[in-house]
Every structure is written in C-alpha cells, then in structure tokens.
C-alpha cells in the first residue's frame, strides 16, 4: 500500500463533519491494507507511530527539502525509516538522523511531508481518534463493534485488535481477555464544571461515589506472584522508577492483582508535592489505589463499582487507598470536594456505583470536577506552526504584566485550544503587530490580551519569573481588554502560593 492512501484517507476524514463518513473512510483504508501493513496503517490513521520515540524534534522539521512530484513511498518504507531513526544513538547519531529524515522527506509529496511531520509531533488532528477507529475496524472486518471495544480494552492496543479482527474475526477478538502482566487501557473520566452539574448527570437523588482527584502519575500495577510491574497511563513500563510502589504491592495479601491508582510525591506533613516533583525521576513516590480489576483468579472488570470497591477495601489498607465517600447529598459532595482541595488535591471524581470498568473510554460513568483557573495575559511572540498548522502562526508566548518594570514577564507558551478560525485570525493579527523575527519566532508588540485556562503553576528555571503555567490552553482572545489591564505577575505568584 502506498503511504499516500493513508494521507488521502486522513484528508477525507478531516474534510467532513459526518461521523458516518469518517468511519467509512477509515474502514475502507483499513480493509485495503494487507496483513503485514495493517498494524502500521492503524497507527498512522490514529496519528501515532509504531515507534514510541524516534529522536526527531519539531525543529528538525522546520526546513524541508523539495517535495516529490508524485507519491511513491510505501507504508513499509515509511515504517522502516522510522524504525531506523528510533535505533540511532551515540556520537554522530544526530547528524545521521537528520540525513535519514531528509532522505525520507525528499521521497514524500508535499501532502505526505505534512502528514509525516504531524506523526512525529503528535499534531495529526484529522479527527481519526480511537473512538472512530474502533467502529471502523468493526466495519472493515464485519465484526460487532462491542467485541472490538472489549478486545481493545484488554489488549491495550487498537492496532493489535485490528490485526486480530482481520485474521480471525469475532472468535479472535473474544480470545483477547484480561491477562495479568499485560496492561489494559485505563478508564477515563469526562469533565463537568461543577459538582451540581456532575450530580445531575447521574440523576437527582442517586447515590454516587465521590473520590479525591489526585494530581499524580496514573499507575496500573500488575502482580503475578513475585513478579510486579507498574505501567503508566500510556502503558509505558515504570517499574524500575517506582520501587516504593512495587514494595507496597508486594506486601498485599494476594498473589495475582491488577490495581489502578495514582503515585504521588508527598511532603513530610503528608500533603502532595507539586506535580513536577512527582514527575521528577528523583522523587520517591507513594501509591494510592482507587480500583481493582483482578484479584487471584477473579476478574472484576465487569463488576459494578460497589463490588470492586469492596474487594479493594478488603485487600488494600486505607493508607494506600484514595479517599472517597458514597452519598446522594449534594452538600456532602461539595463539602468533600472542599476538603480534597484544602488537602492539596486537584478536585474530585464522581463515579456511578453500578458501572463496570470501561477501559480505554471516557464515558459518563466517571466525571471529574476540578477548579478551572484562568488568567488574562498578553501575547509577546508567536511561532510558526508545523504539520497541519504549517504556514500559520500557532504557538503563542504568554506574558503577565509587571507594574514594577512596566514590562511583561513570560510564563510559557501554548498552542492548545485553537480552532482553525482562530489560527487564521491570529496569523493576520500578529503579523500586523510584528516587530522582528528570530528564526521561526515572530515577536510582536505586547498589545493583544488572551484569556488562558490552566491546571496549575509550577516552578521553572526556563522563564525569568521562575514560574510556568501547566497545561495552558486558549479560551478566547479579549478584544474588550487592553494590555495595561492584563493580570499581573503578583496575581500569578498569589495563585502559586
């Protein structure tokens, strides 16, 4: 199969708002792939590479060679090129990596170059997400979509499920079950802006579980006798990094386990440290579990939340469990949320008591509620985009007002939350405000105010204010505000405190 077939399918998906049309385009492409190509094609359609790391950064993609006139690259050739890039290491590897990248890009058409860049940077946003690939696999290989979803849950890999569906149909999918030692896709929570709205989704007067939402590293722990493995949300093996988690699970009274939870770095007083301390390789992390998927010979995935919690409470001491209450009272839920925030946690997760564990899905059974912080900041510079955003100004540099100096203090960058319309508008707007350029960065007069939402503030040696916004994303541009009314650096410091 030519790589161009995937690129064209991606363009078709991006070019329609119809879910049915998107699924049909994906299914047609999956069905056209041969057995040796299918796993790779499924990765590319989801905007990911089979190789988790290639060593290629976005800066390497800014200057591209002249594109090929016509498509010639095959799926296998692209995969082999990325595999070779991923294997490079040691002295001289960077130069060799650049040579290989230029060779690959030279063989690609302009459309293929853009898609390749998107795969490397993770910015292939054509709408072909996992939620569309699962029904596409079902349609491509004439299997029930529920069977595909369940197999994907246990396999922890949608491309692997595509291969199984093609090779053996529904029986092959049914053979993929939970195995201790093989991580499953974690269940995810949808979001609500308030406790009241979250509770409304479950029904008036319906009892729910309300759990503290910890700002840690999501962990899934598998134990099979003396063998213990710890996996991240993205299913990376973290076992060597988390000896404290391994030791804690080794002390539990069961031989076979699959636990879901968070790992946190704690202060001496027991309060959680900043997320960046938790993420540091130097930090000692403690586990806190909130779900149990398997114990000894008993699978609990399909059991309701209440049953899984009962087993978890029997097995795991309260010091290693996430705090929770069960209530139908909104006031109690609000009070528990306030306690969780006061204890230094992110907020709460509200869970349906009768729900099974829907691995890999962001459904209605779990709803997270956490405060949304926003600041009105000033755009100081903008970077030219890559991949799908090539030719547009994308990543904005954010600054808080400093009344003491009369200038602005940079707090980080973001390209998140921008619609296509916003990208077009800001390209025109910031080119009109341009003062000078340095490489791919366009510096602008500090006039445009932008409202930015963020999850927290962390220490940073990269920026002069010593702080950076965590997970910043654009809410809207403020045409009603001028730069001299933007939030100050002292406001940011107070939030950090």
């Amino acid at each position: 199969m030519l790589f161009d077939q995937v690129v064209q399918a991606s363009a078709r998906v991006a070019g329609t708002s119809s879910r049915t049309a998107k699924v049909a385009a994906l299914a047609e492409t999956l069905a056209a792939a041969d057995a040796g190509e299918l796993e790779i094609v499924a990765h590319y359609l989801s905007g990911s590479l089979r190789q988790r790391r290639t060593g290629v950064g976005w800066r390497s993609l800014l200057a591209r060679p002249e594109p090929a006139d016509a498509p010639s690259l095959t799926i296998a050739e692209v995969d082999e090129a990325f595999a070779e890039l991923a294997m490079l290491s040691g002295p001289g590897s960077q130069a060799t990596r650049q040579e290989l990248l230029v060779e690959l890009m030279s063989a690609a058409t302009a459309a293929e170059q853009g898609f390749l860049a998107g795969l490397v940077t993770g910015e292939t946003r054509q709408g072909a997400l996992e939620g569309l690939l699962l029904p596409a696999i079902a349609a491509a290989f004439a299997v029930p979509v529920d069977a595909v979803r369940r197999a994907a849950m246990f396999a922890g890999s949608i491309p692997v499920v595509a291969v199984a569906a093609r090779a053996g149909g529904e029986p092959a999918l049914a053979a993929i079950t939970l195995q201790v030692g093989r991580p499953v896709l974690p269940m995810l929570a949808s979001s609500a802006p308030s406790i009241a709205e979250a509770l409304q989704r479950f029904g008036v007067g319906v009892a729910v579980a309300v759990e503290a939402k910890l700002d840690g590293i999501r962990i899934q722990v598998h134990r099979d006798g003396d063998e213990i493995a710890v996996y991240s949300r993205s299913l990376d093996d973290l076992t060597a990094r988390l000896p404290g988690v391994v030791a804690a699970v080794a002390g539990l009274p069961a031989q076979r386990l699959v636990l879901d939870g968070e790992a946190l770095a704690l202060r001496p007083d027991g309060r959680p440290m900043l997320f960046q301390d938790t993420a540091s390789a130097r930090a000692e992390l403690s586990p806190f579990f909130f779900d149990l998927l398997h114990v000894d010979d008993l699978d609990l995935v399909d059991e309701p939340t209440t049953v899984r919690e009962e087993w978890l409470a029997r097995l795991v001491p309260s010091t290693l469990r996430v705090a929770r209450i069960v209530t139908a009272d909104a006031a109690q839920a609000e009070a528990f949320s306030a306690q969780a925030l006061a204890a230094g946690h992110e907020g709460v997760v509200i869970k349906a008591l009768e729900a099974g564990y829907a691995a890999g899905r962001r459904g209605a059974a779990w709803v997270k509620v956490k405060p949304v912080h926003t600041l009105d900041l000033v755009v100081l510079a903008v970077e030219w985009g890559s991949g799908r955003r090539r030719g547009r100004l994308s990543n904005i540099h954010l600054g808080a007002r400093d009344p003491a100096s009369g200038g602005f203090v940079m707090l980080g960058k973001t390209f998140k939350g921008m619609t296509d319309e916003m990208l077009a508008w800001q390209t025109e707007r910031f080119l009109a405000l341009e003062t000078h350029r340095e490489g791919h960065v366009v510096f602008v007069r500090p006039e445009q105010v932008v409202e930015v939402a963020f999850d927290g503030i962390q220490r940073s040696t990269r920026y002069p204010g010593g702080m950076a916004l965590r997970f910043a994303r654009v809410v809207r541009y403020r045409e009603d505000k001028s730069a001299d009314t933007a939030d100050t650096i002292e406001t940011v410091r107070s939030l950090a405190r």
Side-chain angles (χ1 to χ4, degrees):
M1 173 184 280
L2 286 176
F3 180 60
D4 180 66
Q5 290 176 253
V6 170
V7 176
Q8 295 305 319
S10 176
R12 287 164 57 195
V13 170
T16 179
S17 60
S18 166
R19 179 182 173 85
T20 300
K22 289 177 186 287
V23 170
L26 295 172
E28 179 183 330
T29 310
L30 290 168
D34 66 30
E37 299 167 334
L38 181 57
E39 182 179 354
I40 306 167
V41 169
H43 270 291
Y44 292 172
L45 288 175
S46 66
S48 67
L49 292 170
R50 194 168 60 88
Q51 301 76 17
R52 297 186 69 85
R53 293 177 179 83
T54 63
V56 178
W58 62 269
R59 290 183 185 276
S60 304
L61 301 166
L62 294 175
R64 300 178 191 170
E66 283 295 314
D69 294 330
S72 63
L73 281 171
T74 66
I75 291 293
E77 287 171 339
V78 174
D79 182 64
E80 288 166 6
F82 281 120
E84 192 171 356
L85 287 166
M87 291 175 61
L88 291 172
S89 63
S93 60
Q94 194 57 43
T96 304
R97 183 176 287 111
Q98 191 61 35
E99 291 174 5
L100 290 173
L101 183 63
V102 170
E103 182 179 341
L104 173 63
M105 286 293 196
S106 296
T109 63
E112 289 171 333
Q113 285 186 353
F115 194 84
L116 287 168
L119 289 175
V120 171
T121 60
E123 291 190 38
T124 304
R125 301 172 184 171
Q126 80 277 40
L129 303 177
E130 293 176 352
L132 294 174
L133 273 176
L134 295 178
I137 291 169
F141 306 115
V143 291
V145 68
D146 287 344
V148 175
R149 288 198 177 101
R150 188 170 179 83
M153 170 175 74
F154 292 132
S157 168
I158 289 175
V160 167
V161 170
V163 172
R166 179 193 177 99
E170 190 173 358
L173 295 176
I176 301 175
T177 59
L178 187 146
Q179 294 183 16
V180 177
R182 182 175 67 189
V184 303
L185 295 172
M187 185 169 177
L188 304 174
S190 56
S191 298
S194 68
I195 297 291
E197 181 169 323
L199 293 176
Q200 286 178 359
R201 297 184 188 181
F202 295 96
V204 178
V206 175
V208 293
V210 186
E211 295 180 356
K213 186 180 188 309
L214 278 54
D215 190 15
I217 296 174
R218 184 78 176 265
I219 55 171
Q220 185 181 126
V221 185
H222 289 240
R223 177 180 180 180
D224 190 354
D226 294 333
E227 296 294 322
I228 297 174
V230 185
Y231 300 98
S232 71
R233 171 174 166 164
S234 57
L235 311 188
D236 292 318
D237 192 330
L238 303 178
T239 309
R241 282 185 52 193
L242 302 176
V245 174
V246 172
V249 173
L252 299 178
Q255 287 299 300
R256 290 168 57 80
L257 292 170
V258 178
L259 288 155
D260 194 359
E262 298 270 343
L264 288 178
L266 301 176
R267 298 174 182 172
D269 63 0
R271 288 177 63 84
M273 293 185 182
L274 293 174
F275 177 80
Q276 68 190 109
D277 296 315
T278 288
S280 168
R282 300 183 300 276
E284 179 66 29
L285 303 188
S286 302
F288 295 89
F289 298 108
F290 53 74
D291 220 321
L292 178 65
L293 310 187
H294 184 95
V295 55
D296 290 328
D297 294 322
L298 182 64
D299 273 340
L300 298 172
V301 170
D302 295 325
E303 296 293 338
T305 299
T306 49
V307 172
R308 300 199 310 276
E309 166 58 22
E310 288 171 4
W311 276 98
L312 183 69
R314 289 180 208 168
L315 183 72
V316 180
S318 60
T319 53
L320 296 179
R321 298 200 310 269
V322 173
R324 77 194 297 265
I325 62 169
V326 173
T327 184
D329 184 80
Q332 285 186 341
E334 291 280 7
F336 182 85
S337 176
Q339 292 172 5
L341 291 168
H345 300 308
E346 276 194 308
V348 294
V349 180
I350 300 176
K351 298 181 177 180
L353 295 181
E354 299 306 313
Y357 190 93
R361 301 185 67 184
R362 192 183 298 278
W366 290 8
V367 180
K368 60 186 176 184
V369 182
K370 59 182 183 178
V372 176
H373 306 288
T374 62
L375 288 168
D376 290 330
L377 302 174
V378 176
V379 178
L380 307 179
V382 200
E383 299 176 6
W384 288 106
S386 61
R388 191 177 64 86
R389 298 188 177 193
R390 185 175 177 84
R392 297 180 178 183
L393 288 174
S394 176
N395 208 2
I396 57 176
H397 296 204
L398 303 166
R401 185 164 55 89
D402 183 7
S405 68
F408 298 88
V409 180
M410 187 174 175
L411 295 171
K413 313 174 186 179
T414 188
F415 59 81
K416 298 183 181 298
M418 298 174 181
T419 63
D420 287 342
E421 292 77 12
M422 190 179 291
L423 286 167
W425 178 87
Q426 72 182 34
T427 299
E428 182 178 352
R429 168 66 170 160
F430 293 129
L431 286 177
L433 295 177
E434 179 180 353
T435 59
H436 65 286
R437 300 187 187 192
E438 293 181 10
H440 67 290
V441 180
V442 177
F443 290 85
V444 299
R445 296 194 304 275
E447 298 178 8
Q448 181 62 55
V449 177
V450 60
E451 183 180 351
V452 176
F454 58 98
D455 285 5
I457 298 169
Q458 61 190 21
R459 294 187 305 274
S460 174
T461 58
R462 184 175 182 181
Y463 302 115
M467 300 175 291
L469 303 183
R470 183 166 169 240
F471 297 132
R473 54 213 180 265
V474 172
V475 176
R476 57 175 172 156
Y477 280 106
R478 298 295 302 266
E479 296 303 306
D480 59 328
K481 297 195 75 170
S482 59
D484 59 2
T485 62
D487 286 312
T488 67
I489 191 65
E490 186 52 44
T491 297
V492 181
R493 291 194 182 104
S494 67
L495 287 172
R497 288 193 293 267

